[in-house]
Amino acid sequence: MSPQRRATGPTTAEGKAVSSRNALRHGLTAEPSAGSVAAWFNIILDIPAGAFEEPSSSDPLREATLRLAVAEVRYHRALHALCAHAMAPKSARQAANKVHTEMRTALDHREAVSGGAPPDLATLDYIDKMLEQLEPLAAEAERDRRLQERYLGEARSERRKALRAWCELNALEHQNSRNELKIPPNEH
């Protein structure tokens, strides 16, 4: 059996149930809020603050603007998630930091009390138990970071494509502006 044939995702009902909840864990694949999209839509079209326009795809430029606004919201949401997740109180990174701090405090206290004598069996058992707690937390924190970086990369790519499409449409709309300004094509 080829590797492509084997890599088809979860096959058991339990595995499929777990996989279906993956996107709910962080919300990065959820639809962006209408308010955020509307704000970016108006910013991109340079609409003054008092003249708010509802996002629409009534013409090709507005459709490209709407696509760019959605891409901007997703990009900024993914960027924020990547930066803020490590500091979130219940994140794996914070749990790993807490275990590490507890272990360091206990070791520093043991060193101060023992006066440099070799560690006893109880101290070594304590270190072993703390490391057993720390390893899965560090692995989970790394998985979370990689996942968020992947979503950020996808959002960045979507944003780049939407921006390119918007610029092409916007350039077509203003293609005679160089002639109106009487700027020779070679000068900037």
Side-chain angles (χ1 to χ4, degrees), residues 15-93:
K16 290 177 182 180
V18 168
S19 178
S20 72
R21 292 188 303 269
N22 283 348
L24 299 177
R25 183 174 182 188
H26 46 68
L28 293 176
T29 57
E31 282 297 314
S33 72
S36 298
V37 171
W40 274 104
F41 184 84
N42 284 278
I43 289 168
I44 293 165
L45 289 178
D46 199 23
I47 296 174
F52 187 81
E53 181 179 328
E54 283 297 319
S56 70
S57 55
S58 58
D59 61 65
L61 181 61
R62 286 194 165 29
E63 184 177 338
T65 303
L66 182 57
R67 184 175 163 215
L68 180 56
V70 169
E72 284 291 343
V73 172
R74 286 189 172 143
Y75 171 75
H76 287 280
R77 181 172 55 192
L79 186 61
H80 173 74
L82 181 63
C83 296
H85 180 74
M87 296 300 130
K90 293 185 179 182
S91 72
R93 173 59 51 209

Side-chain angles (χ1 to χ4, degrees), residues 8 13 20 41 48 52 55 69 73 104 112 135 143 145 153-154 157 171 177 183-184:
T8 58
S20 72
F41 184 84
F52 187 81
V73 172
R104 186 77 255 159
E135 287 171 358
R143 265 193 316 275
R145 185 192 61 76
E154 290 171 2
S157 175
S177 63
I183 299 174

Side-chain angles (χ1 to χ4, degrees), residues 60-61 64-65 67-68 159-172:
L61 181 61
T65 303
R67 184 175 163 215
L68 180 56
R159 179 185 185 215
R160 191 178 306 120
K161 290 173 190 173
L163 182 59
R164 194 172 292 134
W166 185 83
C167 287
E168 286 174 9
L169 281 172
N170 205 31
L172 288 175

